[in-house]
Amino acid sequence: MNEIPVSLGLLEGCTVIDMSTLFAGPFAATLLGDHGADVIKVEHPRGDDLRNWGPRKDGHPLWWKVVNRNKRNVCLDLHQPAAQEVVRRLASRADVLISNFRPGRLDAWGLGWSALHEVNPRLIMAEVSGFGQSGPYSGFPGFGTLAESMSGFAAVTGEADRPPMLPPFGLADGIAGLTTAFGIASALWDRERGGAGTRIDSALYEPLMWIVGSHIIEYDQLGAVQRRMGNAVPQAVPRNAYRTGDGKWVALSGAAQTVTARLFALIGRAEAIDDPRFATNEARIRHRELIDTMIGDWIAARTLDEAVAAFRAADVAIAPVYDAPAIVGDEHFRYRDSVIEVDDEDLGTIRMQGVVPRIHQKPGAVRWTGSSVIGSDTEEILRGLGYPPEQIRQLDEAGAIKRG
């Protein structure tokens, strides 16, 4: 593994309040923290639901360790006015606040955009919700599953004769986290040019609707509705996943004409590129099954290693289908720190995804993992806000805060 310097990254000096739960909002905050922001995670005494998602080891939630890395943890019961005042103090000196409460909830606590913008006109506030802060659906509960369903993703995912498929991971949340982080970075840039604080309204379904592709304009202009096609795509052939002779899988794409010509030559069918059925992408789309059979038969006669080596030697895009063991064992991923090793106070050395994107001059770093202790940094953070020890003790006894 390459040695990455402990750099605070491009966002050194930026303070972020993460008042969100589960994945989309917290992931946006994680990205900012990886690049040097001081992220303060505000957590309810009962704990973020992400603590209860997925497997544990020795009682410690594993996914929590990753999503809440590089965050300091303060525990506040926001139903109590004293805890709301803590947030106001935090917001008065913060750069960014991320939340994912239903529209109206923060306003009821006196912590909405208008109130906090008055406290700190430079504050950037990113609100992540299922359906956005406005519109007929804004008050509905929203989760990534609903976004994956309503964005068009599920309708085009899966085999043609099988039900729509939902991803087995937080796809909509992850994409919304990425776009929310982009919105925050854009707002920080605007503010540094003399702008004021900005309100960002991030709906889970909207960025995924973009990622699904050209389905909307195709319907609008052609009346065409994209259907489920398994591992194929409607725009290009060849593109599919194929089983190798040793029972493994590879995925390939030959969408560019020159790549397809090299692919046909590799599998012993160089003449196919001049065959009217296969000479253009449009023609290949009409004869998709024939091409899949040609390629599939060639790959099925070879092992995974043989097929991948041959394709790469021919400069044709191919990749093995990886599971987690293959990912952590890949030399390229280790070289680039796509997977890194981090010291954890509970579990020792653990592996997780590295910092993205890769920024050479100030790469950022994972400085610590998510704490298993709710409120682990409450006292430190409140002291930094000017709360004396006796008042901190009183807030703890009243249940407004919780010290780890």
Side-chain angles (χ1 to χ4, degrees), residues 62 65-67 69 328 337-342 344 350-354 366 368-370:
L62 299 181
K65 294 283 188 185
V66 181
V67 177
R69 68 197 195 187
V328 299
D337 291 297
S338 305
V339 177
I340 59 175
E341 292 184 350
V342 184
D344 177 72
I350 59 178
R351 288 180 288 196
M352 61 178 63
Q353 297 92 327
V366 177
W368 62 83
T369 58

Side-chain angles (χ1 to χ4, degrees), residues 179-331:
T179 55
T180 299
F182 163 74
I184 291 168
S186 300
L188 286 168
W189 170 246
D190 178 69
R191 196 186 67 178
E192 292 309 305
R193 293 186 301 165
T198 304
R199 188 183 186 190
I200 298 167
D201 180 357
S202 186
L204 291 181
Y205 73 91
E206 287 176 334
L208 185 55
M209 188 180 288
W210 250 101
I211 298 298
V212 172
S214 58
H215 59 309
I216 294 174
I217 194 169
E218 288 175 8
Y219 171 70
D220 176 66
Q221 294 297 303
L222 303 174
V225 179
Q226 185 176 336
R227 306 299 182 186
R228 292 186 291 284
M229 303 175 63
N231 290 316
V233 292
Q235 298 89 356
V237 173
R239 195 270 197 175
N240 217 319
Y242 304 91
R243 191 180 182 97
T244 63
D246 53 352
K248 299 177 182 179
W249 290 88
V250 294
L252 67 86
S253 175
Q257 186 74 3
T258 55
V259 174
T260 300
R262 292 197 296 271
L263 189 157
F264 285 160
L266 171 64
I267 65 173
R269 299 294 298 271
E271 77 286 352
I273 200 64
D274 296 319
D275 187 318
R277 296 173 298 173
F278 312 132
T280 66
N281 186 58
E282 291 75 14
R284 290 192 293 274
I285 288 173
R286 294 192 296 271
H287 298 90
R288 184 187 307 271
E289 292 184 4
L290 282 174
I291 293 173
D292 276 340
T293 298
M294 289 163 46
I295 298 171
D297 288 348
W298 190 92
I299 290 175
R302 289 156 178 83
T303 67
L304 173 70
D305 290 344
E306 290 169 344
V308 170
F311 269 71
R312 288 178 176 170
D315 197 23
V316 179
I318 193 171
V321 175
Y322 273 1
D323 56 12
I327 289 171
V328 299
D330 186 278
E331 62 178 357

Side-chain angles (χ1 to χ4, degrees), residues 348-373:
T349 301
I350 59 178
R351 288 180 288 196
M352 61 178 63
Q353 297 92 327
V355 176
V356 294
R358 190 177 182 87
I359 297 170
H360 288 271
Q361 287 75 15
K362 294 186 177 181
V366 177
R367 303 183 296 282
W368 62 83
T369 58
S371 175
S372 294
V373 180

Side-chain angles (χ1 to χ4, degrees), residues 16-22 26 29 39-45 47-48 51 64 68 71-78 83-84 86-88 90-91 96-101 106 109 111 374-375 378 381-382 385 400:
V16 176
I17 305 170
D18 178 11
M19 291 176 58
S20 56
T21 59
L22 292 176
V39 180
I40 299 172
K41 170 75 175 180
V42 176
E43 190 172 5
H44 190 277
D48 189 323
R51 289 185 182 273
W64 174 268
N68 286 281
K71 299 180 184 180
R72 296 192 289 156
N73 187 288
V74 59
C75 183
L76 305 174
D77 183 354
L78 295 179
Q84 296 164 10
V86 174
V87 173
R88 291 188 194 95
L90 283 169
V96 178
L97 186 147
I98 303 172
S99 73
N100 69 339
F101 295 97
L106 288 179
W109 288 335
L111 301 175
I374 299 174
T378 298
I381 290 168
L382 265 64
L385 293 173

